[in-house]
Amino acid sequence: MATMKEILNRMLNHEELSREEMKEILVGITKSEFPQEQITALLTALQMRGVTVDELLGFRDGILETGVPVPLECDRYIDVVGTGGDRKNTFNISTTACFVIAGAGYKVAKHGNYSATSISGASNVIANHGIKFSDDIGQLNRSLNEAGIVYLHAQLFARAMKFVGPIRKALQFPTVFNLLGPIVNPSRPQCQLLGVATLDQMRLYRHVYEKIGIDYGIVNSMDGYDEISLTGDFKVTTNNYERIFHPQDLGFDIAKPEELVGGATEEEAKEIFDAVLENRALPAQKNIVLANAAFGIQVLERGQKEIDECIAIARESIDSGRALATFRKFVEINS
């Protein structure tokens, strides 16, 4: 492998690195082969130039190889996740949608972490219900089999992240590692619904998913939300189509930004999450979860169901109480 000095010189010449080179660098970071100053320089150079698809995939390969694998006893399940960083402090839309999808009878392996930019991340709202995070494969498979959903707390699996944590904190700007979160689910799901904050990210991840070879849906609200916010037009890209939707195309009213806010405390975020599953949330909060869950269901169905049918399936999951029953079973198994 090239030395880090050679790599950095190539970066200064605006050269691109191969997938294999990036994987070797990531593995080297976990073996403490490079001084922090060189890692800092590499991350800064990548951020200034923009990361390529192969460079991102190389880092992904390295994180999955050095991490804890999660072999799940199921051949088709989905992860619903956002890139984060849209600074909108929305409630836990993806996480709530996961329980709606599981309540509809599909399998879900949700990968998440504590919040970086909002009040409550996926791991915050899960932990605030008394859930104990686990990396025990038997326990994780039991949750998936009996509740239809398993939660994978990122810090238990991606060992490489602790090596770059202090550097990321010191840099105080996004790095390539912010892009990796959504694609390093240690169970390697065959289906994913990803929310991104920009159309540039949508293009990047579309190429990533095509190279990985999974069924995907990528969503972006045109006003900058990294999920379907129903505050205006939103774009969806899948294996089958690329389209701009208006909320009314799906039979939904336009939501007001203040109706999406996750609250000022983790307790307020938990209350909204509970209210949606208990079918007592604001109409806009329920609709937003229905929309995101529906596009996840469409991905699971390989695009064979129209989105209206997928919305009806998601709505039935909440209205019948099955989404709530699924969550209660999940809590019972994982507390």
Side-chain angles (χ1 to χ4, degrees):
M1 178 189 156
T3 65
M4 184 58 90
K5 181 181 175 184
E6 289 165 343
I7 295 280
L8 291 173
N9 276 323
R10 284 172 56 198
M11 294 294 294
L12 289 173
N13 287 326
H14 306 283
E15 290 178 41
E16 295 176 2
L17 304 177
S18 72
R19 181 169 175 172
E20 188 58 34
E21 283 173 325
M22 288 298 272
K23 179 184 150 187
E24 287 178 359
I25 290 168
L26 195 284
V27 172
I29 288 172
T30 66
K31 294 176 179 171
S32 303
E33 289 177 2
F34 312 117
Q36 292 209 337
E37 292 82 357
Q38 289 186 336
I39 303 169
T40 303
L42 176 71
L43 295 180
T44 305
L46 279 170
Q47 194 63 18
M48 289 175 72
R49 190 202 70 205
V51 69
T52 67
V53 172
D54 275 349
E55 286 167 349
L56 191 60
L57 284 168
F59 261 14
R60 173 184 183 265
D61 295 341
I63 285 176
L64 290 172
E65 185 175 293
T66 58
V68 180
V70 179
L72 294 177
E73 297 159 359
C74 177
D75 61 358
R76 193 165 181 83
Y77 51 88
I78 195 167
D79 185 9
V80 183
V81 65
T83 53
D86 64 7
R87 309 258 181 227
K88 304 281 193 187
N89 191 34
T90 49
F91 72 94
N92 300 94
I93 295 167
S94 297
T95 310
T96 317
C98 282
F99 286 96
V100 175
I101 293 169
Y106 300 93
K107 300 289 194 203
V108 179
K110 169 73 176 143
H111 182 233
N113 211 334
Y114 294 117
S115 171
T117 54
S118 61
I119 298 292
S120 176
S123 289
N124 302 84
V125 78
I126 295 287
N128 282 331
H129 284 88
I131 306 299
K132 295 180 177 66
F133 300 132
S134 174
D135 60 359
D136 179 275
I137 302 301
Q139 164 78 9
L140 298 174
N141 272 301
R142 184 184 162 217
S143 185
L144 185 66
N145 291 330
E146 295 182 23
I149 182 167
V150 61
Y151 186 74
L152 306 172
H153 177 56
Q155 293 176 13
L156 294 178
F157 303 98
R159 291 179 175 145
M161 288 306 203
K162 70 172 181 282
F163 291 92
V164 292
I167 296 171
R168 293 177 70 193
K169 205 163 190 172
L171 284 174
Q172 299 203 336
F173 57 74
T175 69
V176 63
F177 287 100
N178 293 67
L179 297 171
L180 283 163
I183 54 172
V184 292
N185 183 320
S187 74
R188 306 192 187 210
Q190 312 76 12
C191 306
Q192 190 158 38
L193 184 74
L194 172 66
V196 297
T198 68
L199 293 177
D200 281 346
Q201 287 183 348
M202 180 175 271
R203 280 188 289 274
L204 176 69
Y205 284 110
R206 190 184 76 222
H207 293 308
V208 165
Y209 286 138
E210 283 168 358
K211 283 208 168 186
I212 297 172
I214 65 170
D215 292 329
Y216 66 88
I218 311 172
V219 302
N220 164 253
S221 290
M222 308 301 256
D223 50 0
Y225 286 91
D226 69 334
E227 52 229 334
I228 299 167
S229 64
L230 300 182
T231 48
D233 291 352
F234 60 94
K235 186 171 185 179
V236 180
T237 296
T238 74
N239 306 71
N240 303 302
Y241 67 85
E242 188 168 319
R243 186 182 157 189
I244 292 174
F245 290 88
H246 188 72
Q248 280 136 339
D249 297 338
L250 309 177
F252 293 127
D253 293 331
I254 291 183
K256 301 185 183 75
E258 57 268 25
E259 294 176 304
L260 282 74
V261 173
T265 65
E266 288 190 20
E267 191 53 45
E268 286 176 22
K270 174 177 180 275
E271 163 56 26
I272 298 169
F273 175 89
D274 292 345
V276 175
L277 293 182
E278 292 167 12
N279 204 12
R280 55 180 177 81
L282 295 173
Q285 292 169 337
K286 178 179 177 179
N287 289 346
I288 288 155
V289 171
L290 288 177
N292 286 275
F295 280 96
I297 289 167
Q298 192 180 49
V299 172
L300 279 157
E301 292 285 359
R302 295 182 170 89
Q304 300 301 303
K305 282 185 169 34
E306 293 295 329
I307 197 60
D308 292 351
E309 189 181 349
C310 298
I311 291 168
I313 292 169
R315 192 183 299 280
E316 170 67 13
S317 176
I318 294 180
D319 291 353
S320 67
R322 288 209 303 271
L324 180 61
T326 293
F327 181 65
R328 288 187 172 151
K329 183 70 178 172
F330 171 80
V331 172
E332 178 195 316
I333 292 168
N334 293 286
S335 294

